Amino acid sequence: KQIANMLGDTERVGLWVYSDGQPATISNFTQVASTDIIYPSTKWEIKKISTSTASFTESNGTITVNNDLWLDGFVVRNSNYTDNYTFEATIKSSKNNYPLTNPETCIGLLPYYVDDNNFVVVYLQWNSSGTLKSIGCTGKIDGNDIGWHDYWNFANKSTSLVSGQVLKVTRENEKLTISFAGVTQTQTINQLYGKLNQKVGLWTITNPATFSNINITSN
């Protein structure tokens, strides 16, 4: 039977018998690893860490997200995969690029989300010329800031969000591989080692974005 949202690690498994004093023999022990968990709901919901005015609308599998705060106002849903999975979506926005301003525009995905103290965000960030500065990556694990793990192979790439572009994130334990605009790069985030995922999400700041063709698949 599937148990959803089970927190913490299991240290041991065991044997037990109650048979009115009569012994029992148990043999052929097996233990099989599984990273698939069936959560009870796949509905999208808002997670606000502080005072975000985040909102979203959903129509035929397409999610439009509005948000005004940095690392806040996430739109999340349960994931059936706790590790070794790929999360992707086609992103559309009103412009192909957003020159660097303050506050700047960021649009991205949450490939890992457990709660306010455990999440990782992967997002598009532009420079002053309107091409990508990099694909940024940051977040928190156990309440601690994981710092910057930006993907610099994407620097100076043009974006075409008016027609829609696919952002793909593959997680394999502590490794996150990003694919976007014909470029692929992997980073190791040591703090993710052994951490099981519960949710994935969508995020934007300053300008709204629309996410479609959203897929979560096992690697």
Side-chain angles (χ1 to χ4, degrees), residues 35-36 80-81 83-87 170-171 216-219:
T35 58
D36 296 358
N80 289 342
Y81 306 108
D83 196 359
N84 296 305
Y85 56 91
T86 296
F87 176 42
T170 296
R171 184 196 174 188
I216 313 163
T217 54
S218 178
N219 294 346

Side-chain angles (χ1 to χ4, degrees), residues 96-161:
N96 284 330
N97 53 65
Y98 292 90
L100 186 64
T101 58
N102 189 15
E104 62 186 289
T105 293
C106 298
I107 300 173
L109 304 177
L110 282 76
Y112 173 86
Y113 183 93
V114 175
D115 53 34
D116 292 354
N117 290 309
N118 293 274
F119 62 87
V120 174
V121 183
V122 171
Y123 56 96
L124 310 176
Q125 56 178 351
W126 290 265
N127 57 31
S128 57
S129 67
T131 58
L132 285 180
K133 175 185 176 184
S134 70
I135 289 186
C137 179
T138 191
K140 293 182 180 180
I141 299 295
D142 296 330
N144 299 312
D145 194 325
I146 66 172
W148 304 107
H149 297 268
D150 290 2
Y151 293 76
W152 292 100
N153 287 355
F154 296 91
N156 301 316
K157 293 289 291 185
S158 297
T159 51
S160 303
L161 300 186

Side-chain angles (χ1 to χ4, degrees), residues 2 32 39 46 71 88 106 110 122 129 133 139 155 186 190-191:
Q2 298 284 358
V32 180
Y39 290 107
I46 289 282
L71 296 188
E88 64 181 317
C106 298
L110 282 76
V122 171
S129 67
K133 175 185 176 184
T186 298
N190 292 327
Q191 297 94 325

Side-chain angles (χ1 to χ4, degrees), residues 1-209:
K1 185 174 182 179
Q2 298 284 358
I3 301 176
N5 298 323
M6 185 174 178
L7 301 178
D9 295 331
T10 298
E11 294 183 356
R12 295 176 174 86
V13 294
L15 311 175
W16 178 75
V17 62
Y18 177 72
S19 58
D20 197 23
Q22 299 300 312
T25 299
I26 303 173
S27 60
N28 300 318
F29 301 107
T30 60
Q31 181 172 319
V32 180
S34 174
T35 58
D36 296 358
I37 292 180
I38 297 176
Y39 290 107
S41 173
T42 57
K43 292 182 178 180
W44 296 95
E45 59 180 327
I46 289 282
K47 293 293 185 181
K48 297 181 181 181
I49 297 174
S50 57
T51 60
S52 167
T53 60
S55 64
F56 75 95
T57 58
E58 181 177 3
S59 177
N60 298 319
T62 296
I63 314 294
T64 299
V65 180
N66 284 273
N67 177 51
D68 62 335
L69 290 183
W70 168 253
L71 296 188
D72 198 353
F74 304 137
V75 178
V76 303
R77 55 153 286 189
N78 290 330
S79 170
N80 289 342
Y81 306 108
T82 60
D83 196 359
N84 296 305
Y85 56 91
T86 296
F87 176 42
E88 64 181 317
T90 299
I91 300 173
K92 288 188 176 183
S93 193
S94 60
K95 298 181 181 179
N96 284 330
N97 53 65
Y98 292 90
L100 186 64
T101 58
N102 189 15
E104 62 186 289
T105 293
C106 298
I107 300 173
L109 304 177
L110 282 76
Y112 173 86
Y113 183 93
V114 175
D115 53 34
D116 292 354
N117 290 309
N118 293 274
F119 62 87
V120 174
V121 183
V122 171
Y123 56 96
L124 310 176
Q125 56 178 351
W126 290 265
N127 57 31
S128 57
S129 67
T131 58
L132 285 180
K133 175 185 176 184
S134 70
I135 289 186
C137 179
T138 191
K140 293 182 180 180
I141 299 295
D142 296 330
N144 299 312
D145 194 325
I146 66 172
W148 304 107
H149 297 268
D150 290 2
Y151 293 76
W152 292 100
N153 287 355
F154 296 91
N156 301 316
K157 293 289 291 185
S158 297
T159 51
S160 303
L161 300 186
V162 171
S163 58
Q165 280 185 282
V166 176
L167 177 60
K168 179 185 295 186
V169 184
T170 296
R171 184 196 174 188
E172 295 178 310
N173 202 358
E174 77 275 30
K175 296 184 183 299
L176 285 185
T177 300
I178 311 303
S179 297
F180 182 79
V183 178
T184 298
Q185 185 181 354
T186 298
Q187 289 274 33
T188 297
I189 303 175
N190 292 327
Q191 297 94 325
L192 271 178
Y193 183 83
K195 298 291 185 179
L196 297 183
N197 184 46
Q198 288 188 15
K199 299 177 184 292
V200 294
L202 316 169
W203 180 71
T204 184
I205 179 173
T206 306
N207 287 278

